[in-house]
Amino acid sequence: ESLARHTADAVTSWIIRTARNETFVADAVCLALPAFVSARLLRRLDVELASELAAIPYASSATINLAYKREDIRHRLNGFGFVVPFIEKRTVMACTFSSVKFSNRAPDGYVLLRAFVGGALQPELVELEDTELISRVEQDLRELLRVQSSPIFAEVSKWERSMPQYFVGHVDRVRDITNREKGLPGLALAGNAFNGPGIPDCIRSGESAADKLLDSLL
């Protein structure tokens, strides 16, 4: 809910207040949050840092997981998935063959697919009702993968402002954020907003932040 710094006897602590009105005192803080949330928490501590964080744009997306019998998909599924160029004007912007890419995602004889919708170029699609989203995704998969039946089940998950956008100038902005961050000892920023949006990038970001904070406390 809020973040503040307190210095007493030359020792600086971080005061954390939660939405439950709990208060914690910490030697160091890692903000593994969307950039716009970190910006809100840091605005009273460093306006310029908060402004740079708030300037990172985000897009929303939806994922639709669909289960099929393997025999109802004529495509060979000889890969991990596909990406759809925006010029094709389809609802699906990408699809992962989840049960091919990862083990134990579907029983033998069945397939689990995960379609991605929305993003920076088609944000309006995330606002559609779930039934409309599923219907549109099914139609795309019928045409692209030669699916011959309705799914056994389909589940929609919507992720608002979940995808940071790395526009021209992003590298310079991250450099400025890193420099401003150095002015707040005991603070580390981590997450997908800075140097890569994928899971491995996030793990690397978290490990780097942890190493930085441990070094500062030793």
Side-chain angles (χ1 to χ4, degrees), residues 25-70:
V25 179
D27 297 321
V29 172
C30 174
L31 295 181
L33 300 166
F36 54 88
V37 179
S38 294
R40 177 176 61 80
L41 293 173
L42 294 171
R43 194 164 299 281
R44 292 186 178 181
L45 297 173
D46 188 324
V47 173
E48 290 188 30
L49 174 58
S51 296
E52 291 287 4
L53 289 167
I56 298 175
Y58 277 73
S60 301
S61 66
T63 56
I64 299 87
N65 288 282
L66 308 102
Y68 294 95
K69 290 183 178 180
R70 180 65 184 90

Side-chain angles (χ1 to χ4, degrees), residues 30 188-190 195 201-215:
C30 174
L189 299 170
N195 297 303
D201 302 308
C202 290
I203 292 172
R204 184 166 53 249
S205 173
E207 290 177 341
S208 177
D211 287 342
K212 172 190 172 183
L213 293 181
L214 285 172
D215 289 342

